Amino acid sequence: MNPDNLRIVLVEPRNPLNIGAAARAISNFGFRHLRLVNPYEVAYREARSAVNATEILASAQEFPTVGEAIADCSLVVGTTSLGHRELQHPLRRLEYGGRVLRRQLASERVALLFGSEKFGLSNDDLTYCHWLVRIGTREEHASMNLGQAVAVCLYELSRKAAVQKVEEQKRADSEDLERMTNLLVEVLRESGYVHSASTIAKTRRLVRRLNLPSHDAEVWLGMLRQIRWKLTHEGE
C-alpha cells in the first residue's frame, strides 16, 4: 500500500471541529491528502481539534464539486451508514473493503468520500462512486461522528496486510470516466434514446461498474466520438 495515493474527500462538511478531527486522523495513520467539497465553514483551517495536524489543514484542497475533487482518482469509494436508503452500488463492510483499498493503493490514486454530518452523501454524490463501504456499527445506532468515521476507516487501511499481487493494468481515472459518461449520454440523445432527468446518473453508475482499465477507456472514448460524428453528420 502507498499511503500517498489516498485522498480523503469530505463533501460539504458543516463543523470545522470535525474537519480538524479528520485532519488529525489523517496525520495519525500516516496519510497526507485532505480534500473538501464546498465546506460549510471557511474557518476550518483554525480548528483546534487538528492537534499536531496543522500541515494537513494548511495543504487541504477545496473544490466546488465532487467531480472535480475526484477527477485524478482511478477508484472512488463512498462511505454510508446505510439507514433506509435503497442503494444502487455494491456495498462492502469496512474490514473487507479495506483489503481491496489497500491493494488498489499500491498502484493508483483512490478517493474515499465522506458525506456531511447531517445528510451523508447525496444520491448524486454516490453516482461518482464505484462501490460503497460501511463501518460495522449496530443497526440501532448506525451513524458515526464524521471525524470518528474517518479515523476508523484510516485505522483499518493502515493495518498491515498480507502481500498481494498488484494488478498490472492501471484503471481509468474519474475524469476519463466522466468524459465517457457525457459522450455516451450525448450519443444516446442523438440516436433518439428516451431521455429523462435520471439518464445521466444511471449512465454514470453503469460506466463505473465496467471497471475499465485506462487503455480501454481511451478506446471507448474514441469509438463514442466516431459514433457521435456519424450521427451528427449523417445525411450531409
Side-chain angles (χ1 to χ4, degrees):
M1 180 184 75
N2 181 359
D4 196 47
N5 279 336
L6 183 66
R7 273 61 178 156
I8 296 298
V9 181
L10 308 184
V11 181
E12 298 188 356
R14 301 174 63 85
N15 189 331
L17 293 178
N18 284 332
I19 299 174
R24 183 177 184 178
I26 290 171
S27 179
N28 283 150
F29 296 108
F31 298 94
R32 293 179 52 192
H33 302 289
L34 173 62
R35 294 181 175 182
L36 305 167
V37 176
N38 192 23
Y40 183 77
E41 173 55 65
V42 295
Y44 67 86
R45 294 185 191 274
E46 302 173 5
R48 289 176 295 175
S49 52
V51 179
N52 296 326
T54 53
E55 290 185 7
I56 301 293
L57 279 185
S59 62
Q61 296 176 283
E62 291 186 40
F63 297 86
T65 67
V66 172
E68 292 170 276
I70 52 90
D72 62 343
C73 298
S74 302
L75 176 64
V76 181
V77 176
T79 57
T80 179
S81 61
L82 195 57
H84 301 293
R85 178 180 298 182
E86 182 180 352
L87 300 179
Q88 303 292 326
H89 296 72
L91 176 65
R92 295 182 170 99
R93 281 175 62 101
L94 178 60
E95 56 266 39
Y96 302 112
R99 298 174 190 172
V100 180
L101 289 171
R102 283 193 294 268
R103 185 167 65 245
Q104 300 302 129
L105 283 168
S107 61
E108 56 188 323
R109 288 181 179 175
V110 175
L112 187 58
L113 270 61
F114 296 83
S116 71
E117 296 90 333
K118 190 172 182 179
F119 301 109
L121 294 172
S122 70
N123 288 333
D124 187 64
D125 297 334
L126 293 175
T127 65
Y128 290 94
C129 300
H130 292 86
W131 45 272
L132 306 177
V133 69
R134 175 179 178 269
I135 299 172
T137 53
R138 66 189 182 97
E139 293 183 6
E140 294 82 1
H141 195 176
S143 65
M144 292 184 67
N145 169 269
L146 175 58
Q148 292 175 337
V150 173
V152 171
C153 288
L154 295 186
Y155 166 73
E156 182 64 33
L157 291 181
S158 66
R159 293 173 58 192
K160 291 184 179 180
V163 177
Q164 298 177 345
K165 184 178 180 180
V166 176
E167 294 182 5
E168 295 181 359
Q169 290 184 314
K170 179 183 177 182
R171 293 160 58 97
D173 60 33
S174 292
E175 185 174 19
D176 283 341
L177 294 180
E178 188 65 9
R179 288 162 56 201
M180 185 174 164
T181 297
N182 293 333
L183 265 175
L184 184 53
V185 169
E186 189 175 341
V187 166
L188 290 172
R189 187 183 299 117
E190 291 288 341
S191 68
Y193 182 83
V194 177
H195 185 268
S196 67
S198 62
T199 298
I200 295 178
K202 290 179 180 178
T203 304
R204 186 180 287 131
R205 288 194 296 265
L206 177 62
V207 168
R208 278 158 174 74
R209 286 183 192 140
L210 296 175
N211 289 317
L212 292 173
S214 180
H215 176 266
D216 288 358
E218 287 297 327
V219 174
W220 274 105
L221 284 167
M223 290 191 294
L224 288 169
R225 290 191 191 101
Q226 180 62 28
I227 294 171
R228 179 183 61 181
W229 184 91
K230 187 70 173 178
L231 287 171
T232 54
H233 291 79
E234 188 174 7
E236 291 184 359

